[in-house]
Amino acid sequence: FTSFLHLPGTSEEVAPPLQQSFMIPKKEINVVSDMAKWKRSQAYADYMGFILTLNEGVKGKKLTCEYKVSEPIEKLVALLNTLDRWIDETPPVDQPSRFGNKAFRTWYAKLDQEAEKLVATVIPKHLADTAPEVAVYLKESVGNSTRIDYGTGHEAAFAAFLCCLCKIGVLRVDDQMAIVFKVFNRYLEVMRKLQKTYRMEPAGSQGVWGLDDFQFLPFIWGSSQLIDHPNLEPRHFVDEKVVNENHTDFMFLECILFITEMKTGPFAEHSNQLWNISAVPSWSKVNQGLIRMYKAECLEKFPVIQHFKFGSLLPIQPVTS
């Protein structure tokens, strides 16, 4: 899976991708029968490879452990901090409907306008012509400004954004832990703030039958973090005390904490799927099951994937092995 995660080295050694002309990613999945094209595509193979590479990279590791933090990682965190600051500068407006606060559109318009500039701060000069392509995935990753909703398709766009940065050599193989623990974790914090501030609707949610209203990847990577933990077992994550004591170390528990803050009533009722998962005997079984579920419930669902965009970095062309 690591074929497209460039090996460590200085950025000067990485020549711009050869003969590659960058393009603005576009929609390619327009009807249900196009889904076969997606599953055979280079984009799907690279995306899934990226998710699984990171899944291995964080196995058994705490959020608070030591890991390398490169300059591009710092710049990505700064980019996310900017998005966070814009939320503070764009308070929700008074409106009759409780959900979908229209101030989100104002916040989004700012991102829409600034995305390329933000991405340019992360990308070295010799790769500047990739910014318009990569920026599309950043814009797609924060929710839909018409419907004021957010879901796993938007989350996938953020993972695709990071995957593109790996493909152009901005992020490297030794950035793996920082990609999940520093960048993706910061992204989650900003998304939770957006969801709370603007009361965003869940996009394509399966209600009580889904895993979570908004996210999926932190449950995959978060369960990998817990593999072979000496005393935390899957049955413990429904225990409030365990969650309160360990959430700063484990992404999975951080997700559970957020759910319990946002929802009322018995956990087994509002989060039935997670309740069922707490009965699985080991974290490695949970992790494998979630990867299967992610493919089936997110990546193989037309309502989610119809919005995915394809360009030169994540091409719709079939895999060339």
Side-chain angles (χ1 to χ4, degrees), residues 9-279:
T10 60
S11 55
E12 282 71 41
E13 288 168 30
V14 179
L18 294 172
Q19 292 93 45
Q20 188 155 355
S21 51
F22 298 98
M23 61 180 275
I24 299 299
K26 59 184 207 293
K27 230 170 103 71
E28 299 276 4
I29 310 299
N30 299 304
V31 288
V32 176
S33 57
D34 288 337
M35 289 297 284
K37 220 168 34 171
W38 153 242
K39 282 185 252 179
R40 282 196 301 267
S41 70
Q42 190 64 50
Y44 182 88
D46 287 350
Y47 180 85
M48 215 45 231
F50 181 67
I51 300 302
L52 295 173
T53 298
L54 295 175
N55 190 56
E56 279 302 305
V58 300
K59 200 167 167 179
K61 306 279 201 306
K62 292 181 175 183
L63 286 167
T64 48
C65 74
E66 291 281 304
Y67 49 83
K68 170 184 172 261
V69 178
S70 63
E71 200 182 339
I73 294 285
E74 297 282 17
K75 288 174 173 173
L76 281 165
V77 173
L79 181 158
L80 291 164
N81 291 344
T82 300
L83 302 189
D84 191 339
R85 194 182 71 244
W86 291 350
I87 302 173
D88 297 333
E89 292 166 5
T90 318
V93 293
D94 279 338
Q95 60 175 47
S97 64
R98 252 179 82 209
F99 287 94
N101 195 284
K102 291 181 177 56
F104 175 73
R105 293 182 181 146
T106 311
W107 179 89
Y108 184 86
K110 189 155 189 159
L111 173 62
D112 196 37
Q113 208 182 339
E114 303 287 326
E116 267 182 56
K117 270 192 221 130
L118 288 173
V119 170
T121 64
V122 180
I123 292 177
K125 290 274 186 287
H126 69 276
L127 293 169
D129 57 345
T130 65
E133 177 165 347
V134 176
V136 167
Y137 295 102
L138 178 65
K139 287 191 278 196
E140 296 277 316
S141 75
V142 297
N144 181 287
S145 66
T146 309
R147 295 186 303 271
I148 315 183
D149 65 4
Y150 175 93
T152 50
H154 302 109
E155 177 189 71
F158 192 75
F161 166 67
L162 296 172
C163 182
C164 288
L165 293 174
C166 287
K167 292 196 84 169
I168 61 176
V170 171
L171 296 172
R172 306 293 172 83
V173 84
D174 56 354
D175 286 318
Q176 281 181 66
M177 284 168 69
I179 289 171
V180 179
F181 293 170
K182 239 188 150 47
V183 181
F184 191 80
N185 204 43
R186 184 72 187 106
Y187 164 75
L188 282 179
E189 290 169 0
V190 178
M191 292 309 106
R192 286 176 184 139
K193 188 166 168 178
L194 280 179
Q195 288 151 20
K196 265 189 192 162
T197 307
Y198 303 122
R199 303 298 301 269
M200 297 176 79
E201 299 273 12
S205 167
Q206 296 151 313
V208 74
W209 303 112
L211 184 67
D212 177 80
D213 279 345
F214 299 111
Q215 314 296 155
F216 203 114
L217 292 173
F219 292 95
I220 295 179
W221 295 330
S223 59
S224 181
Q225 282 185 277
L226 285 154
I227 289 173
D228 296 331
H229 191 285
N231 43 22
L232 286 181
E233 293 169 34
R235 65 191 170 93
H236 291 122
F237 77 72
V238 290
D239 179 338
E240 205 180 330
K241 186 171 178 288
V242 171
V243 172
N244 288 332
E245 286 171 8
N246 298 282
H247 70 93
T248 51
D249 281 329
F250 300 104
M251 210 171 235
F252 194 102
L253 302 182
E254 194 68 74
C255 290
I256 301 296
L257 186 69
F258 184 67
I259 291 171
T260 54
E261 279 173 11
M262 299 294 278
K263 298 196 168 187
T264 51
F267 191 88
E269 284 174 28
H270 63 61
S271 302
N272 190 260
Q273 273 284 22
L274 282 166
W275 179 259
N276 294 338
I277 287 169
S278 73

Side-chain angles (χ1 to χ4, degrees), residues 286-303:
V286 170
N287 186 246
Q288 290 159 8
L290 286 173
I291 290 166
R292 279 197 305 275
M293 187 179 170
Y294 185 57
K295 287 178 180 170
E297 298 302 322
C298 301
L299 301 185
E300 293 175 11
K301 287 279 188 280
F302 176 74

